[in-house]
Structures are given as structure tokens and as C-alpha cells.
């Protein structure tokens, strides 16, 4: 019996952590339309700090044999996040945002993967494959709730430059399956992915402070 592909092993090993992140109270309140645009902006701000770090590491690892196949400039999110923050907070958005404690911890962990390409793959997979999947449902709901369309508000969730999302995700999984790593390294990547989900969930849990009193968080 042949071994399952690494993309399947990784997905199955981290699925419970993925579901935990989806169940956070902040996201529940956000998707129910119970938060102000400014409260939504707090999540956008935390994304900004995380993606500046993640895409910065990406640029540093472009030629690496392990990380290189997962360097996609067309995915970089900083410009989209800037447009979203400008839409939500106005031109003075930079003075309105700062990383939370959990975000600072996540950023530090991401930055350390500049010296560990396998760790970069773990964090890249955790964030971007989620953005390309459930993130698309989030975008559609936020458009309904806040009236955002194009050029700011939900541009973070738009990936027009990659074409077909299903085709891109299939290609991504094929790259995971072809990852030049032995079993020990793959096991490390799985553990780092679990950690990445936990750190991202802690960011969302901290945002629960923005849920109005009397609502579940």
C-alpha cells in the first residue's frame, strides 16, 4: 500500500487546529454582522503585521530549494492590506494600528523561519491556503455586511493575479507532495504548522475583546 501524499498527511494532521481557529468568537461575531467596521479593521491590522513578516521572509528565501517553490510574489498581501486599512481608517491608518501581543509573537516566529525554509513553508501553508479557501467565504460575507466592493475594504481576500483558485491550490498541493524533505523534516513541518495555527488562533482570541458585552466571545 502506497504512502499518502504529504499534502494529505499535513491536512489531516492539522485539521483539528484549523477547526479551532474557525470557531473563535471574534470571527463568529464578525460574520454575524455584530462588529463595527473599526473592529473589523483590528483584524486587518493584525494581518498587516503578519503578512509584512511572512512576505519579507518569502523574498529572502526565493532561491532556496525547499522554500523557493512556495514563493509567489503574486500572493503578496501588503499592498492589498494597505488599501483595506486606508478604506477603513483613512489616510492616517498607520497611527491607528499596532501589533497585539499574540501578533508580535506570531511575527517573531515567522521571522525566525528565514533560517529554516521548512518552517516558512509551514507558516505560508497555514495562512495562504486558508485565505484561498475559507477566506473567500469571509470576503463575500464582509461585502454584504460593510458594503465593500473593490479598491479597499476586502482586497486582502482578492487573488485576481493567480487566476483559477482551484487550479492554484492543486498546484500548491503538488508542490507540497514534491517537497525535497526527509520524513524527520516533514514531521517538523507538521509540528510547526500546528504551532502556526495555534498562534493565529491566539491572535483571533485576543480580538475577542472587541466583541460587545453580552455577546459570546
Amino acid at each position: 500500500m502506497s504512502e499518502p501524499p504529504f499534502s494529505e498527511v499535513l491536512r489531516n494532521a492539522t485539521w483539528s487546529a484549523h477547526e479551532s481557529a474557525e470557531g473563535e468568537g471574534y470571527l463568529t461575531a464578525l460574520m454575524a454582522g455584530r462588529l463595527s467596521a473599526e473592529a473589523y479593521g483590528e483584524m486587518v491590522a493584525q494581518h498587516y503585521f503578519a503578512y509584512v513578516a511572512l512576505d519579507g521572509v518569502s523574498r529572502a528565501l526565493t532561491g532556496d530549494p525547499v522554500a523557493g517553490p512556495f514563493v509567489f510574489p503574486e500572493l503578496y498581501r501588503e499592498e492589498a492590506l494597505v488599501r483595506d486599512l486606508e478604506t477603513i481608517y483613512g489616510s492616517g491608518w498607520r497611527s491607528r494600528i499596532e501589533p497585539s501581543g499574540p501578533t508580535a509573537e506570531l511575527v517573531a516566529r515567522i521571522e525566525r523561519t528565514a533560517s529554516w525554509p521548512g518552517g516558512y513553508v509551514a507558516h505560508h501553508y497555514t495562512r495562504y491556503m486558508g485565505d484561498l479557501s475559507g477566506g473567500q467565504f469571509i470576503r463575500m460575507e464582509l461585502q454584504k455586511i460593510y458594503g465593500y466592493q473593490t479598491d479597499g475594504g476586502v482586497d486582502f481576500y482578492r487573488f485576481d493575479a493567480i487566476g483559477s483558485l482551484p487550479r492554484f491550490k492543486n498546484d500548491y498541493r503538488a508542490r507540497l507532495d514534491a517537497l525535497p524533505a526527509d520524513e524527520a523534516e516533514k514531521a517538523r513541518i507538521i509540528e510547526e504548522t500546528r504551532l502556526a495555527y495555534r498562534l493565529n488562533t491566539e491572535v483571533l482570541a485576543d480580538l475577542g475583546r472587541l466583541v460587545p458585552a453580552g455577546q459570546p466571545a
Side-chain angles (χ1 to χ4, degrees):
M1 183 175 179
S2 61
E3 293 292 322
F6 181 58
S7 59
E8 182 180 331
V9 173
L10 181 61
R11 181 179 184 276
N12 291 340
T14 58
W15 185 248
S16 62
H18 173 77
E19 288 188 315
S20 175
E22 287 189 338
E24 276 301 320
Y26 172 86
L27 276 183
T28 299
L30 180 67
M31 292 295 95
R34 299 200 300 263
L35 300 182
S36 67
E38 289 76 15
Y40 160 57
E42 288 286 335
M43 182 177 72
V44 178
Q46 304 314 310
H47 283 159
Y48 172 80
F49 294 109
Y51 280 88
V52 167
L54 182 59
D55 295 339
V57 172
S58 177
R59 292 181 180 93
L61 293 176
T62 298
D64 184 85
V66 171
F70 300 91
V71 172
F72 300 97
E74 61 269 34
L75 291 182
Y76 291 165
R77 294 291 86 193
E78 183 175 356
E79 290 184 6
L81 286 162
V82 168
R83 289 195 298 274
D84 291 344
L85 289 166
E86 286 177 338
T87 298
I88 298 165
Y89 292 129
S91 59
W93 65 271
R94 289 185 187 275
S95 65
R96 293 282 303 271
I97 70 171
E98 62 180 359
S100 65
T103 295
E105 184 179 357
L106 172 62
V107 166
R109 187 73 188 189
I110 290 171
E111 288 175 342
R112 283 199 289 272
T113 68
S115 61
W116 177 30
Y120 161 78
V121 172
H123 286 271
H124 194 276
Y125 168 85
T126 300
R127 284 301 333 174
Y128 275 115
M129 285 298 270
D131 300 333
L132 294 168
S133 300
Q136 299 309 297
F137 170 77
I138 293 174
R139 174 180 61 80
M140 291 186 288
E141 292 302 301
L142 293 177
Q143 286 179 309
K144 296 175 188 176
I145 293 166
Y146 299 108
Y148 298 129
Q149 295 303 319
T150 57
D151 295 325
V154 292
D155 283 8
F156 167 74
Y157 297 104
R158 297 182 183 279
F159 293 90
D160 298 340
I162 67 172
S164 166
L165 268 62
R167 184 168 59 246
F168 182 89
K169 289 190 290 184
N170 285 337
D171 176 65
Y172 195 105
R173 295 185 189 102
R175 292 174 188 235
L176 284 172
D177 296 339
L179 197 69
D182 60 21
E183 292 306 309
E185 178 65 359
K186 288 179 179 178
R188 285 186 70 204
I189 291 171
I190 288 171
E191 287 307 306
E192 188 68 17
T193 305
R194 289 193 179 112
L195 174 61
Y197 274 118
R198 179 175 67 78
L199 293 174
N200 280 281
T201 300
E202 289 173 0
V203 171
L204 290 174
D206 179 72
L207 288 170
R209 57 188 159 77
L210 301 172
V211 178
Q215 294 185 15

